[in-house]
Amino acid sequence: MKNCDCSKANKSIECTVTQCRYHCDTQPYCALEKIMVGTHEANPTMEQCTDCMSFEKKI
């Protein structure tokens, strides 16, 4: 699979995770149409407890 070509940056999903294959390299946006947000905690109480479940490591 290729990394994101970012021809369609989704301005509704801001992202600064440059290690993700869906991050638009030249803009602070995600190229996906939608993302899944989840948690790694049983009872999340802070933003650090949440994760982007759509993350895929950039090749």
Side-chain angles (χ1 to χ4, degrees), residues 8-55:
K8 296 186 179 179
N10 185 338
K11 303 274 173 110
S12 296
I13 305 174
E14 293 186 49
C15 180
T16 59
V17 182
T18 58
Q19 297 83 358
C20 182
R21 72 177 289 187
Y22 301 112
H23 179 267
C24 292
D25 292 326
T26 59
Q27 303 171 63
Y29 298 107
C30 180
L32 292 174
E33 186 177 309
K34 65 178 183 176
I35 63 169
M36 170 65 74
V37 176
T39 183
H40 56 272
E41 303 277 334
N43 183 26
T45 58
M46 301 182 302
E47 65 184 52
Q48 293 89 343
C49 299
T50 61
D51 302 294
C52 177
M53 307 306 279
S54 302
F55 172 84

